[in-house]
Amino acid sequence: MTNHWIDIKNTDCALIMGSNAAEHHPICFKWVMKAREERGATIIHVDPKFSRTSARSDFHVPLRSGTDIAFLGGMIKYIIDKEKYFKEYVTEYTNASFIVGDKFGFKDGLFSGFDKKLSTYDKKAWAFAVDANGVPKRDKTLKNPKCVFQLLKKHYSRYDLKNVSAITGVSEKNLLKVYETYAATGQKDKAGTVMYALGWTQHTVGVQNIRTSAIVQLLLGNIGVAGGGINALRGEPNVQGSTDHCILYHILPGYHSVPRAHWPTLADYQKANTPISNDPLSANWWQNRPKYVVSLLKSWFGEAATPENDFGYSWVPKGDTPKGLVQGDYSHLHIFDRMYKGKIKGGSIWAHNPAQSIPNTTKVRKAMDNLDWLYISEIHQNETTDFWHRPGVNPKDIKTEVFLFPACHRVEKEGSISNSGRWVLWHYKAAEPAGESKSMGETMVEIMNAVRKLYREEGGVFPEPIVNLNWPSHFDADQIAKECNGFFLKDTTIKDKTYKAGSLVPSFANLADDGSTSSRNWLYTGSYTEEAGNKMKNRDLSQTDLQAKIGLFPGYSWCWPVNRRVLYNRASVDLNGKPWDPTRVVIEWDGSKWIGDVPDGGWPPMATGKGKYPFIMQKEGHGALYGPGREEGPFSEHYEPIETPVKKHPFSKQLSNPCAKIIESDMDKRATPGDSKYPIVLTTYSLTEHWCGGGETRNVPSLLEAEPQLYVEMSEELAKEKGIKNGDGVIVESARGRVEAVAMVTMRMTPFKIQGKTVHEIGMPFAFGWTTPGVGDATNRLCVSAGDPNTSIPEYKACCVNLKKADKLTELS
Amino acid sequence: MSKTFLIDVTRCTACRGCQVACKEWQGFAANKTTQIGWGSHQNPPDLNPKNFKIVRFQEHKIGDTVTWNFMSDQCRHCLQPPCKDMADGYMQGAVVFDEATGAVVYTDKAKQLPKEAFDEMKSACPYDIPRRDDATGIINKCDMCYERVAAGLIPMCAKACPTSAITFGDREKMLEEAKKRLAVVKKDYPEAQLIDAEEVRVIYLITDKPEFYHKNLVAQGPAGISRMAALAKMTAPLKRSVRNLLG
Ligand code: SF4
Ligand code: SF4
Ligand code: SF4
């Protein structure tokens, strides 16, 4: 979230899209409802299914899964055509005025720089034109045909109501209703918020879905302001924390690229990952990256990390140089594909149920049979821990040796959790771990200590990364929290205060690239200090009048970065530091200092000449209407899902994302576009009563009682066509699998009119698996192994299926 | 001071926090539920001896507009409870008023009531609330979490509700709050109304026709009328008597 949960109450209009917020983030709806009741905010829900979120929204607009970019592209066109954008904001704070270089081009669905063989782009083709000093050229009149604004206007001019309606299935009337309502937040004193979740990310165009919303929000001046922002509603309480601390393969803690083979030395790495801006007005915050990376290495390798050995950079594993769609990608899609192809021998799985939650699950389960060994840490047995005796296999045929470590529940341990609003809260242990279960941290520390002992005693091919680790003898959450914050490693004086070696660093501004500081995550530096202790434990509700007006509680928990509650808040004020909306002040310049929230950098307002552009994480300091960093283009473009019910779309000849990560194997069969064998769109989702794959919640009787079995929501029209009645057993089939479910025939699902033809869409939850008897089994057996080119997140939200009434049921009872 | 709930459906997201929290607090085991032949999010399908609270779901479509109505159903804790009248006719002390809260509570003695007594209680209840476990003879329903309330806490369902759809407090204050909310809600939904506010301690604020939520959202007349109930009715407020007779 750029903003935070409470801030939703400040909005004038919430566009909930790609999210079923009321069902999956029930508490957040308290703030949505407050906005509606107290501000008269309009709540809009755009989603294939009428859900509990729709029920509490002012209106629900059904759209076909996978057409969000078309829908929002139409909104961009509307905003520009009707001049609903916030001109001053767009000119001053976004890159609308930047001149794009001559190499940029766009033709029939492809941008310039495309390499057909590798299915990737050479992004240099999209660079900005720069002046003699290397500063991007600008035209603040926004008239230059090569400026971002004009290119944007041209790009989205194809997204007219007729085209958008034909492909999304949304009536022109409904499109206009949403566009008009939301575009009204482009006024200076109005704010609109975008709330999204996996309904946007889980597509082969996931990142570009969100990019498109960023364009909308920047045009309307909705970033940085109270009641605005782009708000990713993260899943489990700590999904934000797990991203910050890099549970995924592609980053190191604190959002640094994972080292790659073509960056053999630390200098190579730093050079490639440290942007240089020649514009003195750009803060270009990532220029500080080397300090954060060296502090991270110092935290990992302690005294063994010296300037002479690149602080141990060579001990950090290097990913292959990414090339094409496979090489250098270690995401789940690829891990299980490699496992299926016999290239992975063993491994560990923590708090994760891939045999239930990875697409094309039948293949995933089969892939696991190829492992020699596997160890798993879990609180309940689930489809992954028990894969070796799943229905249809004989355990005697499975060679894998499986070790199951009982993990304790989260209420049985203490630690930090980071919520969607980036608040880091300490949570306390409520009970002792049951039986012999242990926290996963404890298990991991013990295993690694045993490995370290072996390496120390017996050596090995490459022992340094393991024996040199700054590794604890036992797990202590409090100590880890301190390590995340970071220490001074030698006596250091800041202003008039001297910090002894070994004391906690007060702020990431004090981190250094010479090895004199450590920090396991620069974003968390300042969360645990000598002066204030563990700020994650802060529960102080005091606030200034200004803060009270917008629900800021700076003394409650701690928030990264530096306790700033609304990101990019320097964009909430004009060039003189005066808030766009004086009734909803995030920050304000009082003549000598900023008041309100912690500003995005303490520099004075832009008009003083000593200020900095507000989008400090961007190299050029401006909000990116044009974003040259993504894999499939600087603007978003509508591409169909990999499995689509249509053969063509109105925007170009490029049917699907040209850079989509598609997995190929004998088990990865796909329907052809417009395949008459699989004419129905399937979308999958979670539900309030079960959490994700259901491994935990299926073991909670009162939740299983409330949602006992796998169902398939379908329209009355489709049910009639197929001769299916509510409550009937149904077989749903895709090119990859077959799943039994119970029909839930409902007027909440709507058939779509797509390019003149009726297209049906159905929806199924993915929480039910065979280890809970009679509830049904993995919906993901139907889903397709194709992912977004930027993130490799699989396209769970759209694939093509067919269905029929079941003669008999074996998975459900 | 006696207590009252306000259940404001305009705030209800049907998260079922109330349903699950009630069950957990009361310590009830789960029922075996199913979708086969049922196909609805409303599960368990009805109140039962192990669910004092369930959330009811009903969907409607008028023109292109879908509405999905949610109703967090429970005992209304009638100011003059017909179920108590019925039980009292068989045995004093099976159904009692909790002095402090006004809760209508079924005690352990209720188990001793014969099946006929239960049938009369159930059919006398204008909201179809009481349930009986035929195996054990236990007759039960929501008890307003009166023990929690006595300890200065609010009922578990109100505590669990994330959106303040269920609020709980002193009756006078809640009546006032109900009227205030009604006035606000009416601006968006002219048909909004409070249900049986003067007669019950669980007041629903609804925006659609009552039958669009549940047939027993509004008090329904009993099928069979016993002597005690008829007597009780004579002393009950005129409005309810008339409706019961019509029902
Ligand atoms: S807890 Fe509140 S919001 Fe959730 S179902 Fe019950 S009444 Fe509705
Ligand atoms: S609602 Fe029914 S069960 Fe509850 S007090 Fe009234 S009559 Fe008795
Ligand atoms: S008051 Fe207590 S017993 Fe009654 S419905 Fe609420 S939680 Fe259940």
Side-chain angles (χ1 to χ4, degrees), chain A residues 30 33 37 50-52 55-56 689 701-702 705-709 711 713 726-727 742 744 746-748, chain B residues 9-14 16 23-24 31 33-35 37-39 41 43 51 59-61 66 68 162 181:
Chain A
K30 162 176 168 180
M33 235 90 93
E37 287 179 11
F50 186 106
S51 65
R52 296 179 239 187
R56 290 283 75 85
E689 293 76 3
S702 50
E705 176 193 63
E707 282 294 355
Q709 277 174 330
Y711 54 84
E713 291 180 289
N726 191 43
V742 181
M744 198 179 277
T746 168
M747 47 188 91
R748 296 179 294 100
Chain B
V9 303
T10 67
R11 288 175 172 167
C12 176
T13 60
R16 294 197 273 189
K23 181 162 198 123
E24 295 284 340
N31 296 285
T33 52
T34 181
Q35 290 290 7
W38 176 238
H41 291 293
N43 242 329
N51 289 84
E59 53 193 42
H60 303 276
K61 195 170 189 173
V66 176
W68 200 8
R181 275 297 296 160

Side-chain angles (χ1 to χ4, degrees), chain B residues 78-100:
Chain B
C78 305
L79 271 59
Q80 309 224 19
C83 66
K84 182 171 185 308
D85 296 342
M86 292 300 172
D88 287 354
Y90 287 88
M91 180 197 297
Q92 294 291 320
V95 177
V96 299
F97 270 120
D98 176 54
E99 288 299 325

Side-chain angles (χ1 to χ4, degrees), chain A residues 160-209:
Chain A
D160 59 27
L161 289 177
K162 192 166 142 274
N163 282 344
V164 172
S165 176
I167 204 72
T168 56
V170 181
S171 68
E172 292 189 26
K173 193 179 110 213
N174 272 345
L175 287 174
L176 270 177
K177 191 166 157 188
V178 177
Y179 295 172
E180 266 168 32
T181 312
Y182 198 70
T185 65
Q187 300 287 325
K188 220 158 120 143
D189 57 352
K190 289 275 182 278
T193 181
V194 167
M195 296 165 67
Y196 79 90
L198 305 181
W200 268 357
T201 57
Q202 292 178 341
H203 288 281
T204 43
V205 293
V207 165
Q208 294 288 4
N209 280 335

Side-chain angles (χ1 to χ4, degrees), chain B residues 11-18 55 72 161-163 165-166:
Chain B
R11 288 175 172 167
C12 176
T13 60
C15 73
R16 294 197 273 189
C18 52
V55 179
S72 171
C161 180
T163 58
I166 306 179

Side-chain angles (χ1 to χ4, degrees), chain B residues 5 22 26 52-53 74 142-145 155-157:
Chain B
F5 290 84
C22 171
Q26 297 288 349
F52 291 172
K53 165 84 96 181
Q74 66 173 96
C142 158
D143 60 8
M144 206 193 262
C145 291
M156 204 58 220
C157 53

Side-chain angles (χ1 to χ4, degrees), chain A residues 100-104 112-113 121-129 626 628:
Chain A
V100 175
D102 289 333
K103 286 198 194 130
F104 170 80
S112 51
Y121 280 102
D122 173 8
K123 294 178 213 153
K124 287 200 280 298
W126 312 332
F128 292 118
Y626 179 91

